[in-house]
Amino acid sequence: MTSIITVKDMCLWYGAHQALHHIGIEIPEKSITALIGPSGCGKSTLLKTLNRMNDLIPDVKITGDIRYDGTDIFSREVDVNQLRKEVGMVFQKPNPFPMSIYDNVAYGPRVHGVTGRARLDEIVERALRGAAIWDEVKDRLRKNALGLSGGQQQRLCIARALAVEPRVLLMDEPTSALDPISTSRIEELAMELKEKYTIVMVTHNMQQAVRVSDYTAFFLLGELVECGQTDDIFSQPRDKRTEDYITGRFG
């Protein structure tokens, strides 16, 4: 098992409030790792640290060691734009740009210097196919993306992330705003994508973690209580707090 992201002894504060305490976790390559736990326990905070989205929040202080592909992500040599290209993000609510479907997907490649029309066409088609939405939108690429349904918008946002050829996809509750049919489409898509990409998914839905993830990490009050193969975490958790959470005694 090769880890693409390694976190050691990481603590994070928002101002005086400590949100994460001594987190240590390894994210195996080409797999799905689910982060579960009650609201406010630090799952999304950790996720947003992995591609330095937390840099955008004032008064954040982070200690410890986070490495992506062996490199310290906070090193001065690290180009944050390049990091976010390789470690992409899909948010809880679909957030397409108010522009055409085509321009949404072409946006990232253009920012990174791709200008040729033929090359952009190829990238857009490949990303939309990768996000399992090409057949639904191929005849309306010039239409505004805001006209798509919620589930289609979320798959478009996944296509937008795929267009810049990331290695890791961070998904912050990607189905919480969607209906059950759209949710199952996104889950199936995630399971297909792990053949090429590493996925880290925050989810409130434990059934979803069981269905799609290879590994599960359980967070509580800013601590990582335990982490392991999903089957083991759900069938024989080592920590009583994990057992109480997954059996519904709290949360």
Side-chain angles (χ1 to χ4, degrees), residues 176-216:
S176 66
L178 304 180
D179 62 87
I181 291 170
S182 298
T183 294
S184 72
R185 302 279 308 259
I186 300 277
E187 288 181 1
E188 284 165 18
L189 174 57
M191 290 163 78
E192 286 167 25
L193 290 174
K194 76 172 182 185
E195 290 179 17
K196 290 189 186 169
Y197 309 93
T198 302
I199 296 175
V200 187
M201 181 188 287
V202 168
T203 178
H204 263 111
N205 180 332
M206 283 187 280
Q207 282 71 39
Q208 182 170 71
V210 171
R211 284 193 298 265
V212 307
S213 70
D214 303 290
Y215 302 92
T216 295

Side-chain angles (χ1 to χ4, degrees), residues 67-82:
R67 292 185 181 264
Y68 160 67
D69 206 14
T71 302
D72 173 4
I73 66 167
F74 294 107
S75 150
R76 287 202 178 126
E77 284 78 62
V78 167
D79 174 346
V80 177
N81 288 330
Q82 182 64 25

Side-chain angles (χ1 to χ4, degrees), residues 72-113:
D72 173 4
I73 66 167
F74 294 107
S75 150
R76 287 202 178 126
E77 284 78 62
V78 167
D79 174 346
V80 177
N81 288 330
Q82 182 64 25
L83 175 69
R84 290 187 188 140
K85 174 178 182 286
E86 294 192 30
V87 184
M89 187 99 178
V90 177
F91 295 93
Q92 186 168 358
K93 286 203 172 73
N95 59 344
F97 302 138
M99 51 178 75
S100 72
I101 293 168
Y102 183 99
D103 287 337
N104 262 274
V105 183
Y107 184 86
R110 282 178 176 140
V111 165
H112 290 284

Side-chain angles (χ1 to χ4, degrees), residues 119-133:
R119 178 86 182 102
L120 283 171
D121 286 353
E122 184 189 315
I123 290 169
V124 168
E125 178 173 344
R126 189 182 64 232
L128 290 167
R129 283 187 186 281
I133 190 176

Side-chain angles (χ1 to χ4, degrees), residues 222-249:
E223 273 184 53
L224 173 56
V225 175
E226 70 176 293
C227 180
Q229 295 198 352
T230 297
D231 293 349
D232 295 341
I233 294 285
F234 282 93
S235 62
Q236 43 197 15
R238 295 187 301 274
D239 192 291
K240 178 84 168 65
R241 292 168 295 174
T242 313
E243 186 180 341
D244 287 350
Y245 182 70
I246 62 180
T247 54
R249 291 199 186 99

